Amino acid sequence: MAKLTILEFPDPRLRRKAVAVELVDDKIRTLIDDLLGTMYAAPGIGLAATQVDVHLRVLVADISEDKLAPLALINPEILSRDGVEITEEGCLSVPGVYEKVERAEHITLRALDRDGNNIEMEANGLLAVCIQHECDHLEGKLFVDYLSELKRQRIRTRLQKARRLDIDRPHKAPAI
Amino acid sequence: MPRFAPPVEQAALYKALVYHSVRWQPRLSRLAGLLLDRPLRARDRVIDALLQVGLCQLSIMHAADHAAVSETVNAVRDLGRPGLAGLVNGVLRKYLRARDALEAELDRDPIAASAHPGWMLEVLRGDWPEHWENIVTSGNLQAPMWLRINRTRTSSREYLQELSDHGHAASLSAWVDDGVRLAEPCAVAELPGFDRGRVSVQDGAAQLAGQLLAPVAGQRVLDACAAPGGKTGHLLELVGGDIDLLALDRDPQRLRKVDETLERLGWTARTLTADAANPGEWWDGKPFQRILLDAPCSGSGVIRRHPDIKLLRRRSDIDDLAGRQRALLDGLWPTLDQGGLMLYCCCSVFRQENQQQVDRFMNSHSDAELLPLSDRLRGRFGDGRGPGMQVFPGEEEMDGFFYAVLRKLRVATD
C-alpha cells in the first residue's frame, strides 16, 4: 500500500473535475488501497482521488475509531439530501484550517463498490458530512469555497506562509 | 477530511489537555480505577479516555471544578454515549468529594506517583539507583524551547540582544556554544530571521552532538541517521559549509525533511535514502574522517517533550533497538578513516542503549579507542562516570542524551 502525496490548497489541480470510472479493475482497487493507506496515515476519515492528483471519481471514508469500517465509493451520486448539520470541518488539503460548514444531515446515494457492484446506501451525521465533503472534491470544490472570499484569502496566505516556515515536527509545537 | 477538527480558537486548550492527559496517563488511569466500581467495557474505552481527560482537568490542571465536570459530561453526549453521562458525572463528583485521600493514595503508588510505566521504572532503578527519581521527575516537566544560533551569520550573544529587543527573554548556556534558551516558548515565525536560516529550534543536548564531533573544514563527513536534519545543519554551520557531507536516512519521507531543513539554512549536501548499517548498498569506498551516528533509540531521554513515549514503548522494543544500534555501530566502523572520529549518540537514558552498547563495541574492536571528555565537560553531567557522557533530562535544562566519541586507531605499516 503506497502512501501518496496529498495536494494542498491553493493547488490548481484540486480544481479539476474528476471523470467517471468505466471499469472497476485491479488498477482501481490498488488506487482504493493507496487512498485508504494515505487517509489512515494522515490521519483522516475521508479522502478523494482528486486530492492525490488522480482525477477519477473514487473516494474512501472511514469514520470508525479502529479503522474497521473502510468504505470505498466509485462514481458516487447523491440521490437525496435532507436535514441540516453544521460541522466544524477540516480538509487534508487545507491543513490546520477548521471552519463551520452547513451540509445535509441525511443523504442517500448510489455508487459502485470495489468489486464493481451497484450499491445504494444511506448515511447520517458525520459520515454523511464526510461523503458530501469528498464528493465536492470530485467536482473540484473545496470546503473553503463555502466561506467568504476574505476568509478564503486569509487561509491562502496563512498556508503559503506556513509552508515556507515548515520545520521539524517535534519542534513545531513546543511541548506544554 | 481530517480525523479531528478542534475549533481554532480553542486549539491551545486542546493541546494542553492532550499533553497533560498523556503525560499523567499512568496516574490518571490508576485514579479512574480507584473511582470506578468496575472497569468500563472494552467498547466504552473512548469514555474511559474521556474520563481521564476530565480527571486531568481536576487533578492536574486545577480547572474550575464545575466547568470541568459539565464539559466532560457534555462530551460524553457528543460522543454518542448519553447512557454513560450519569456514570461520568458521578465519578468526577466522587473525586471532588474525596480529593485529598485519593491524591494521597496515588502518591503512595510508585507508578501513579512517577507517572511512568512499571517496566520503565524498573529499568531506570536498575540503571541509575541514585538518579532515577530525578530522571522521572524531570520527565514530567515542561521542556524549555532551545534555539541554535547559526554561528556563520550571528553570534549567540548578538542574537540574545535581538531577542530581547523583540520582547523575548532568553539566556545563554555555559556548555552549549551556539545555544540560547527562551524563557517562554514562542512561534517560530516570531524568531528574527528564522525563515532565512539564522536560527533553528533544537534542544541543547542535540547541539552538543555537533559540538563534540567537531568537524574540520575539508573533511568527508557522514550523518548516518540524518532525518529530520537538525544535526546535519549544525555540522555544516560549524565549518561554514566547508565539508563534503553525505546524509543518509532509511525513510525517504523523513529524508525529504533533511532537504527542507538544509534549504532553509541555505546549505547543500548529498542526501540519500539508504540503510547506514549496510555500507555495501551505498558506500563508494572512500573513508570518512567524521561520522555522526545519532542512533534510533527508545527516546527515554526526551519523554518531557514526547510524553506519548510512555504509552507507546514496550519493554521488548529495547532489545530490538539495541540490536539496531549494534548493527549501525558495527556496520559503519569500516567506513571510518584511520584517525577519524565517530560520535555515537542517542536520546536515551537506558544503559542497554548507551554505556553497555559502547562497552560491547570497545570489547569487540581492537582498533577503536574511546576519546576522553574535554576538561570543560568532564564530570559535569550525569553520574560523572563513563564510558562516554550521560546527560540526564533537565540537567542544564537539556534533554536526556548520551554521547561517546570513538577514534579509529592508525595501523602501523612497516
Side-chain angles (χ1 to χ4, degrees), chain B residues 53 59 79 85 91 99-100 154 184 186 209 214 311 319 350-351 353 374 378 386 391:
Chain B
V53 173
S59 166
L79 286 166
V91 166
R99 177 178 249 162
D100 293 345
T154 321
E184 296 290 335
C186 73
L311 309 186
D319 282 342
F350 293 158
R351 283 184 177 272
E353 298 181 281
S374 66
R378 187 174 307 129
V391 173

Side-chain angles (χ1 to χ4, degrees), chain A residues 54-74:
Chain A
V54 175
H55 301 280
L56 293 170
R57 303 188 80 81
V58 178
L59 66 85
V60 295
D62 185 350
I63 63 160
S64 77
E65 279 179 52
D66 327 85
K67 311 181 180 180
L68 290 177
L71 176 70
L73 299 174
I74 300 160

Side-chain angles (χ1 to χ4, degrees), chain A:
Chain A
M1 198 148 47
K3 218 184 114 199
L4 308 170
T5 303
I6 298 175
L7 302 178
E8 289 186 7
F9 177 73
D11 194 310
R13 289 170 291 181
L14 288 167
R15 296 304 184 179
R16 277 177 64 178
K17 198 170 163 202
V19 300
V21 172
E22 288 182 8
L23 175 70
V24 180
D25 56 10
D26 282 350
K27 259 197 190 138
I28 296 295
R29 281 184 279 274
T30 303
L31 170 65
I32 287 171
D33 290 341
D34 290 348
L35 283 170
L36 282 169
T38 307
M39 175 186 84
Y40 287 133
I45 57 169
L47 188 66
T50 308
Q51 290 174 276
V52 298
D53 202 19
V54 175
H55 301 280
L56 293 170
R57 303 188 80 81
V58 178
L59 66 85
V60 295
D62 185 350
I63 63 160
S64 77
E65 279 179 52
D66 327 85
K67 311 181 180 180
L68 290 177
L71 176 70
L73 299 174
I74 300 160
N75 303 340
E77 236 182 293
I78 295 175
L79 302 174
S80 71
R81 308 169 191 251
D82 56 86
V84 174
E85 174 94 38
I86 298 173
T87 314
E88 193 97 32
E89 280 187 33
C91 179
L92 296 174
S93 294
V94 195
V97 176
Y98 301 93
E99 295 287 347
K100 286 196 171 75
V101 176
E102 188 179 315
R103 308 255 186 203
E105 180 195 8
H106 175 248
I107 59 171
T108 59
L109 70 138
R110 181 163 58 204
L112 300 175
D113 69 8
R114 62 179 290 141
D115 298 314
N117 302 316
N118 273 303
I119 52 166
E120 272 196 32
M121 62 175 281
E122 289 182 38
N124 291 307
L126 182 58
L127 183 60
V129 168
C130 180
I131 291 173
Q132 292 170 78
H133 175 115
E134 305 310 334
C135 282
D136 274 355
H137 276 302
L138 304 179
E139 299 299 323
K141 195 166 176 180
L142 296 162
F143 86 105
V144 294
D145 299 348
Y146 295 100
L147 312 175
S148 69
E149 174 55 34
L150 183 70
K151 237 177 189 173
R152 196 158 49 246
Q153 186 55 42
R154 265 213 308 268
I155 292 168
R156 190 178 292 134
T157 316
R158 192 194 324 164
L159 285 181
Q160 280 163 344
K161 192 166 175 195
R163 267 197 287 282
R164 274 204 313 277
L165 298 183
D166 198 14
I167 54 155
D168 309 348
R169 184 197 71 92
H171 304 306
K172 194 179 279 176
I176 285 168

Side-chain angles (χ1 to χ4, degrees), chain B residues 187-252:
Chain B
V188 292
E190 291 175 33
L191 298 170
F194 176 84
D195 53 341
R196 283 168 288 121
R198 289 183 57 217
V199 56
S200 301
V201 178
Q202 187 179 48
D203 190 85
Q207 299 184 43
L208 281 180
Q211 200 174 312
L212 284 169
L213 188 62
V216 175
Q219 286 182 328
R220 268 173 66 85
V221 180
L222 174 70
D223 188 351
C225 306
K231 297 185 191 72
T232 322
H234 195 199
L235 292 175
L236 288 156
E237 284 171 8
L238 285 166
V239 288
D242 190 15
I243 45 175
D244 177 10
L245 180 66
L246 174 63
L248 306 180
D249 204 272
R250 273 212 289 195
D251 181 340

